[in-house]
Amino acid sequence: MNASAISLPHGHDGHSADHHGGHGGGHGDGHGHHGPVLQYQPGLPLTRGKLIMWLFLSTEIMFFAALLGSYVVLRFGAPVWPKPHHVHLSEPIGAFNTFVLICSSVTIVLALEAARVNRAGLAKLWMLLTLLLGILFLGVKGYEYQAKFSHGIYPQKPRSQIYEKPDLYYGSAVRARLGEPAIIDKLKELDDTPADQLTAEQVAARGRLQQIRKMVTSPEQQAFDLAVVADQVMPLPTAGPGGSHDGGHGGDGGQGGHGGHTSGLNDIFPWLRLPAVIPGGNMWASTYFLLTGFHAVHVLVGLIVFTILLLYKLDSKQAGKIENAGLYWHFVDLVWIFLFPLLYLF
Amino acid sequence: MSDSDSHAIHSHGPITRPGDLPTSEDLDHAGHGSGHDGHDNHAGHGGIGKYLLVFVALCGLTTMSFLTYSPYWPWRNEPHVGWAFMMAVSCTKALLVVLFFMHVFWEANWKYVLTIPAAMMAIFLALMLVPDIGMRNRMVSQERALHMARASDVRLMEQAAESQVLAEPAH
């Protein structure tokens, strides 16, 4: 095998120079080469592809360090930052995704090992598994994004429905929404619906909705009333461990001791889409979607690379390509290792 | 085969013809340092067992950071303990991935050339944000202070949740 025939020195430049000088060009002639042969000495003892991948990764380190650093700095400089369950983050789902990425890191390493010993079929199997795990990660991420969108938390347009505090601006936004012609019609329809056509939850929610409609328009409105309105529209769950609030429709965590209701009016009547209050929620949404979005784009690029690699016969000739793809993928895993605790557990 | 054998005898050192760059397999041997002869079995470093061990360690560490979320975490009221713990766990996990999965543990000394400057840049990048971004709320205008969210807003909403302002269900 030609490849293994090139024996490299053991990292001593002087040593190699001696050998080279000793052998000189005479051997080159003996092999039948014509004229002087241009010689190339790599600056670093690694292949070009791997060198470029590592250079790229070192720029990626700085890219994600800037993102993560800004997140940490923004977060700890903020007067208030939402708790994970305030913004409908589910820690078990995040932990599951961490597990998925770790598994995919192992499978790509195993693909590389299989390719190195020339077991192309096995390498392809591991590579396929890596691809599937990556797709699973993105699927779970999409499900999580959906849970945010359904609560009116968006990265950008349509404008986030999140207000920072239950103040007069919030009250006028709720009034404006309740005054929209389409919503007036829907409210009338809801009011006229006989109670036996609604679930018990909907009947109770309808009663609360009628009261907050009075509250936001009342001339005797108290400052505290707006907090009550905000709490009714989308409560800040106070669930501790064990509470699952991802869908917003799940059971109560039990430990929270939330006063009476766990899902807000926006959850019970999805068409309502009233503005909600999450203190610090807008900055949280910006950083969350930016960090996880860039990470998801990196995952997507990795999946494209794996798909292309799957077109090859993954024998020892492709080991270098698999190694480079693997280096990239481990880096993506690395970023998630920091993202998971910073976003879900802090 | 004979041609490549003779090639093996005569090509010493990293100086090779263009297009004749060493493959990653050779370079792995080079990375072993002078202790090895460069011809030993490739499975000398990786080894699937080692990878699986690292995998188990990573899973264990993930469970450990998840522990801070569980009811068994004893420092519920001191979030800083949890944060420090999680960062320690994350750094350990990152080191395991970089050293073993990315094979950095077995690489030659070039690894420091790339990783140390990048890591330093990363740290300085974050530090440079502290004065302008991290301390942005130390001194704010009265108007901004009026409109920005505060911890008291969270407490207000929690009080609203516990209050019985709304008469339960309106009949």
Side-chain angles (χ1 to χ4, degrees):
Chain A
M1 225 169 99
N2 203 9
S4 61
I6 306 166
S7 72
L8 283 172
H10 312 299
H12 302 294
D13 273 355
H15 175 76
S16 67
D18 282 352
H19 274 271
H20 182 66
H23 289 285
H27 286 291
D29 291 339
H31 284 294
H33 292 300
H34 313 292
V37 178
L38 282 178
Q39 290 179 330
Y40 173 80
Q41 177 164 15
L44 293 171
L46 63 170
T47 56
R48 257 183 239 158
K50 196 168 159 184
L51 173 64
I52 288 166
M53 179 51 79
W54 268 105
L55 282 173
F56 171 66
L57 288 185
S58 58
T59 67
E60 288 278 82
I61 290 175
M62 289 183 269
F63 176 77
F64 274 104
L67 286 178
L68 281 169
S70 331
Y71 167 76
V72 169
V73 168
L74 281 170
R75 186 211 154 114
F76 288 101
V80 58
W81 198 258
K83 299 231 167 6
H85 47 260
H86 288 172
V87 283
H88 314 280
L89 269 182
S90 165
E91 289 89 344
I93 290 182
F96 174 74
N97 247 356
T98 310
F99 178 69
V100 168
L101 268 197
I102 290 174
C103 286
S104 72
S105 260
V106 177
T107 54
I108 187 93
V109 158
L110 294 177
L112 174 62
E113 291 299 313
R116 274 180 171 163
V117 295
N118 231 345
R119 296 181 66 186
L122 189 64
K124 195 160 263 193
L125 187 71
W126 287 122
M127 184 63 85
L128 189 68
L129 206 56
T130 314
L131 181 74
L132 292 178
L133 286 167
I135 291 170
L136 178 63
F137 177 87
L138 279 190
V140 172
K141 200 81 237 154
Y143 170 76
E144 285 191 292
Y145 274 13
Q146 189 51 45
K148 311 287 166 294
F149 297 158
S150 70
H151 286 94
I153 304 173
Y154 300 110
Q156 198 239 9
K157 302 225 171 207
R159 195 200 174 281
S160 163
Q161 297 162 351
I162 304 170
Y163 276 72
E164 289 285 311
K165 58 199 296 174
D167 57 2
L168 290 173
Y169 296 96
Y170 173 69
S172 65
V174 174
R175 265 199 306 279
R177 177 66 182 160
L178 288 173
E180 283 175 24
I183 294 297
I184 291 176
D185 291 347
K186 290 285 266 180
L187 286 172
K188 191 168 282 170
E189 197 183 303
L190 179 70
D191 289 342
D192 295 342
T193 311
D196 54 358
Q197 287 180 23
L198 298 169
T199 63
E201 191 190 29
Q202 283 173 328
V203 173
R206 183 172 70 176
R208 297 201 300 272
L209 180 57
Q210 284 161 348
Q211 291 183 66
I212 70 158
R213 277 153 69 192
K214 280 198 201 99
M215 271 171 132
V216 288
T217 48
S218 159
E220 294 108 51
Q221 187 189 74
Q222 306 287 310
F224 189 66
D225 290 354
L226 288 169
V228 173
V229 171
D231 176 64
Q232 288 296 329
V233 170
M234 193 163 94
L236 296 180
T238 50
S244 163
H245 283 272
D246 186 67
H249 309 285
D252 188 17
Q255 306 197 2
H258 201 272
H261 62 111
T262 52
S263 47
L265 293 172
N266 273 355
D267 294 321
I268 298 164
F269 306 115
W271 47 266
L272 203 55
R273 297 174 71 84
L274 286 171
V277 173
I278 305 175
N282 284 305
M283 186 63 91
W284 176 87
S286 302
T287 53
Y288 172 80
F289 284 112
L290 193 75
L291 285 168
T292 57
F294 267 120
H295 183 260
V297 167
H298 278 75
V299 172
L300 198 63
V301 169
L303 296 185
I304 293 169
V305 171
F306 295 150
T307 313
I308 293 170
L309 276 177
L310 278 172
L311 302 175
Y312 289 86
K313 182 169 183 281
L314 297 178
D315 53 10
S316 60
K317 284 203 190 89
Q318 307 298 336
K321 286 198 185 85
I322 300 175
E323 186 178 17
N324 290 339
L327 284 174
Y328 174 79
W329 191 251
H330 296 313
F331 180 79
V332 172
D333 183 18
L334 205 66
V335 172
W336 186 256
I337 283 176
F338 285 102
L339 276 185
F340 168 61
L342 282 174
L343 289 175
Y344 289 78
L345 299 173
F346 260 47
Chain B
M1 191 62 196
S2 64
D3 182 50
S4 64
D5 279 344
S6 62
H7 184 71
I9 296 161
H10 300 304
S11 63
H12 287 271
I15 301 178
T16 54
R17 281 177 293 282
D20 217 18
L21 280 173
T23 63
S24 60
E25 204 173 330
D26 305 313
L27 292 165
D28 280 336
H29 292 307
H32 279 296
S34 48
H36 295 262
D37 214 8
H39 290 290
D40 52 352
N41 186 9
H42 175 75
H45 69 74
I48 288 168
K50 210 166 274 179
Y51 290 135
L52 293 181
L53 204 64
V54 172
F55 171 68
V56 171
L58 285 175
C59 288
L61 286 165
T62 306
T63 317
M64 273 169 75
S65 61
F66 194 67
L67 186 73
T68 58
Y69 166 76
S70 79
Y72 305 108
W73 181 250
W75 294 283
R76 298 230 116 234
N77 297 322
E78 292 149 89
H80 295 87
V81 178
W83 295 343
F85 177 76
M86 275 185 281
M87 277 299 101
V89 168
S90 286
C91 289
T92 314
K93 281 166 72 181
L95 266 179
L96 282 178
V97 169
V98 170
L99 288 180
F100 297 102
F101 285 171
M102 294 172 93
H103 304 116
V104 165
F105 186 72
W106 298 286
E107 298 288 6
N109 285 345
W110 62 262
K111 60 192 173 192
Y112 301 114
V113 179
L114 287 178
T115 48
I116 290 181
M120 283 174 75
M121 286 286 283
I123 291 167
F124 286 132
L125 255 169
L127 285 180
M128 279 187 287
L129 292 167
V130 170
D132 278 351
I133 312 292
M135 299 181 178
R136 69 192 184 284
N137 288 320
R138 291 277 173 95
M139 300 275 277
V140 294
S141 67
Q142 212 170 9
E143 194 190 3
R144 192 163 149 209
L146 199 65
H147 295 302
M148 72 188 191
R150 291 168 175 286
S152 56
D153 293 314
V154 179
R155 284 197 294 276
L156 195 67
M157 284 186 67
E158 282 167 0
Q159 282 166 17
E162 276 149 31
S163 73
Q164 301 294 327
V165 173
L166 297 190
E168 270 305 306
H171 298 289

